[in-house]
Amino acid sequence: MDNDNWDDWPERWVGADCDVRAAVSAIPREVKDGFRYDEVPWQRFRHFCGPGEEIPGLLATLASGDAEAADEALRRLWTSLHHQGGTIAVGALAVPFLLRIAATTRPELRAQTLRLIAEIGRCQHMGDGSREGLLQVAEEPLMIEGSTMCPVDWTIQAARQAVTDDLSLLIPLLCDPDPAVRSVTAYVLAAATGELSHVSSALRSGLAKEDEAVVRVSLILAIAQLAREHQDEHAPKWARGLWSDPGRPFEVRIGAGLAWLCLVTDPAPDELRAVLTDPGTRQYDDLLQPVPWLTWIDPTGAGLRSCIAEMLTADIPETVFDDPWGDGPLD
């Protein structure tokens, strides 16, 4: 693209061949359901390591009965479609097929396949445990992916629409026997852009009967993410009702406390600070590290601790992000 073409970028490219949103929305359902990869314009886009035409072969291998080959294909798909926290346009083309593979693949691959779908449809969020950033999905409008020159948010929008188009495949996975699958399914559903009352109802229904700590927190954060993005004015009261109730499981109070902080701009009340800095909260560091929103905050295992520290110090002027438990700086 020469400099003369930047004046009306990206507006002039809306709906053009380089607009991945148009490419994904044009894929007929029968093509998705039949895994008819040859009818998808992979050649228009690159992945992080090579041409887009390589992706269908990896998808086919992932869906195959060869366990060792499928494992390797998933590893390569992660490398190709989610590099250093970033997402790339051709990944959105893969989402409809990844969804169908996740619904039918070997159980041990399901969670990681779903996790890849979620990351394709989310902004680069590694290390951002702030009140503004933890539940954010959209990318800055002018952020581009260098190898394709496609706005990153176009990829995110396309992937999210693909998720929304196939909610019927995802919602049943909230009842999967594997807690990891239920947790990551909530993470994917939090990116939905339509049928929001249906999605929120499914998440709340799941929370009401869930007994696994990681899944409970994931469901709470998914409900809060949808509410935050779509400005549900009732959500802060719902979250406060959870964290302020001493009869709730402690992980529910922790998750709801994080959710409430992301839903409002008010300073954290003393009652909430007491919950999040209670010495008993420390035992949840390792337990809740698999919660998808927390995993990337600190991959060393201190995701919850780092997130709480950042959120609770954000409304205290000129404060170093010290450990709220009083152990000193988190670094």
Side-chain angles (χ1 to χ4, degrees):
M1 187 185 300
D2 59 49
N3 291 335
D4 292 339
N5 287 333
W6 282 102
D7 292 342
D8 54 359
W9 181 93
E11 288 79 11
R12 71 175 299 181
W13 308 112
V14 172
D17 282 354
C18 60
D19 187 344
V20 70
R21 299 170 301 180
V24 173
S25 65
I27 304 174
R29 178 163 293 277
E30 58 268 23
V31 170
K32 304 174 191 177
D33 291 343
F35 295 93
R36 286 152 49 180
Y37 299 121
D38 57 341
E39 297 181 39
V40 177
W42 308 97
Q43 71 282 357
R44 295 185 196 170
F45 306 97
R46 290 183 56 79
H47 60 77
F48 284 112
C49 304
E53 294 95 325
E54 295 178 348
I55 299 303
L58 294 174
L59 292 171
T61 302
L62 177 61
S64 73
D66 186 329
E68 184 175 348
D71 288 343
E72 174 62 16
L74 183 56
R75 185 193 66 79
R76 289 181 59 190
L77 283 165
W78 268 96
T79 301
S80 300
L81 304 180
H82 188 257
H83 180 63
Q84 296 182 348
T87 187
I88 195 164
V90 73
L93 286 177
V95 166
F97 302 104
L98 287 168
L99 283 166
R100 283 157 176 77
I101 293 169
T104 58
T105 193
R106 293 172 24 236
E108 56 268 32
L109 289 181
R110 188 165 294 150
Q112 278 300 305
T113 303
L114 289 166
R115 182 63 180 265
L116 177 57
I117 293 166
E119 301 299 350
I120 290 170
R122 186 178 170 93
C123 64
Q124 209 274 26
H125 56 100
M126 297 172 72
D128 189 351
S130 68
R131 295 174 69 169
E132 297 78 18
L134 183 67
L135 303 183
Q136 182 169 330
V137 184
E139 186 58 86
E140 290 294 327
L142 295 182
M143 179 69 71
I144 64 171
E145 193 290 305
S147 63
T148 63
M149 305 308 291
C150 179
V152 174
D153 204 46
W154 287 10
T155 298
I156 293 171
Q157 290 172 30
R160 295 181 68 186
Q161 186 57 53
V163 165
T164 305
D165 289 343
D166 280 318
L167 291 175
S168 61
L169 296 175
L170 281 164
I171 288 177
L173 295 179
L174 289 174
C175 298
D176 192 273
D178 184 354
V181 171
R182 301 198 300 275
S183 173
V184 182
T185 298
Y187 192 46
V188 179
L189 287 170
T193 58
E195 297 188 47
L196 300 176
S197 61
H198 179 45
V199 176
S200 183
S201 176
L203 293 168
R204 289 173 184 255
S205 176
L207 179 61
K209 59 189 177 185
E210 184 58 60
D211 57 7
E212 291 284 344
V214 169
V215 188
R216 282 173 166 165
V217 174
S218 297
L219 290 164
I220 289 168
L221 293 179
I223 294 166
Q225 182 172 303
L226 287 170
R228 180 179 185 268
E229 184 172 21
H230 301 284
Q231 301 179 330
D232 180 353
E233 61 183 13
H234 303 292
K237 182 178 180 180
W238 164 79
R240 184 163 192 146
L242 291 179
W243 67 250
S244 63
D245 182 355
R248 298 280 182 175
F250 205 60
E251 70 270 9
V252 169
R253 301 185 72 193
I254 293 170
L258 298 180
W260 185 86
L261 288 168
C262 292
L263 289 167
V264 303
T265 57
D266 309 42
D270 291 343
E271 183 185 0
L272 177 56
R273 287 180 175 273
V275 170
L276 295 180
T277 61
D278 186 289
T281 303
R282 295 295 294 271
Q283 67 182 297
Y284 289 86
D285 282 354
D286 291 337
L287 177 64
L288 297 182
Q289 181 67 13
V291 172
W293 286 265
L294 300 179
T295 303
W296 292 114
I297 303 304
D298 185 336
T300 66
L304 175 62
R305 185 180 176 197
S306 298
C307 192
I308 291 173
E310 187 166 357
M311 289 191 181
L312 292 187
T313 54
D315 53 22
I316 302 176
E318 300 181 3
T319 301
V320 176
F321 286 151
D322 287 346
D323 184 341
W325 292 272
D327 293 345
L330 287 171
D331 58 6

